[in-house]
Amino acid sequence: MTLAVIGLGLIGGSMALTLKEKGLAVRVLGVEADPCHAAEALRLGLVEEILPLDAAVDAADVLLLAVPVDALVTLLPRVLDRVKRQVVFDAGSTKEAVLNAVAGHPRRGRFVAAHPMWGTEYSGPAAAVSNGFMGKAAVICDSEVSDPDALAKVEGIHRALGMHLVYMNGRDHDVHVAYISHISHITSFALANTVLEKEREEGTIFELASGGFESTVRLAKSNPAMWVPIFRQNRENVLDVLNEHISQLRKFKACLEKENYDYLGELIGQANAIRRIIH
């Protein structure tokens, strides 16, 4: 297939790289607004050619939209306006807004709403890696509205990446990712800001930070250009989970204030139940 990747960052670049290596994409075209990223993607061999959007749509069999979710809401209708029988899928971290944006589009069936549940804290074409998706979940949303051939094609692409498929509607997806993904990023951003505010000695942070701190603040390196639109689109769900998280933090704070170490132990013990789910 000829694959066009619109947005050559971590996800778009990694998918292009992996699908090329597996022989599923015989030709990969790129669309990229940042000229530096476009040049880097060519240099790294992620794509064979950089094209304007309309030319890439016309030349491709399959199109991946891997742009920030605020751009996706306006980009997807434009792409669907031009497609004929091409298959279009996305990789956005929120779904309800983009699904609403194309709900009445006459070529809605050519679009498959997808979210590969993988990423790193790095961005740009240089962040692309091969086989990063292996063993991860790919969420397919509102699959019943997509044309059967388009759905089968996108399912096959994600299986070729080594992913297992999960199906849900867009609204449920956005609730779940608020709890599983979005709150983790907010917590990491907040912790990094707390440490940077209170610990003025950068050398001390570097020397004393162990694996626990490093893994907790890893996500704080993530690109704000990607995450501000995600938080904006999923605002209500993120606020719900943030309120619950703050409530949990207050319990720990109260235990220390009141020297209630028995209850503190109970709270930690309750948290240990996550072992049953994540090993």
Side-chain angles (χ1 to χ4, degrees), residues 241-271:
V241 64
L242 191 54
N243 285 332
E244 176 58 33
H245 186 49
I246 291 169
S247 175
Q248 293 293 330
L249 289 173
R250 284 176 176 148
K251 290 181 183 180
F252 281 87
K253 181 172 180 282
C255 285
L256 292 172
E257 287 175 338
K258 298 174 182 178
E259 300 188 44
N260 189 346
Y261 300 118
D262 290 337
Y263 186 39
L264 181 61
E266 289 180 25
L267 291 173
I268 296 172
Q270 290 170 16

Side-chain angles (χ1 to χ4, degrees), residues 142-215:
D142 294 18
S143 58
E144 69 281 358
V145 191
S146 299
D147 292 344
D149 68 301
L151 177 61
K153 187 69 172 179
V154 174
E155 289 172 332
I157 287 170
H158 287 91
R159 289 192 179 108
L161 293 169
M163 309 189 82
H164 63 275
L165 303 179
V166 178
Y167 300 88
M168 60 181 62
N169 67 54
R171 180 171 296 178
D172 287 346
H173 166 275
D174 287 2
V175 171
H176 290 305
V177 295
Y179 277 88
I180 301 303
S181 172
H182 299 172
I183 190 61
S184 300
H185 283 79
I186 285 183
T187 301
S188 188
F189 294 137
L191 179 58
N193 284 340
T194 300
V195 173
L196 290 170
E197 178 67 26
K198 294 299 183 182
E199 178 53 83
R200 301 297 185 179
E201 296 291 334
E202 292 186 10
T204 303
I205 298 174
F206 178 80
E207 293 294 339
L208 299 185
S210 62
F213 176 79
E214 193 171 359
S215 63

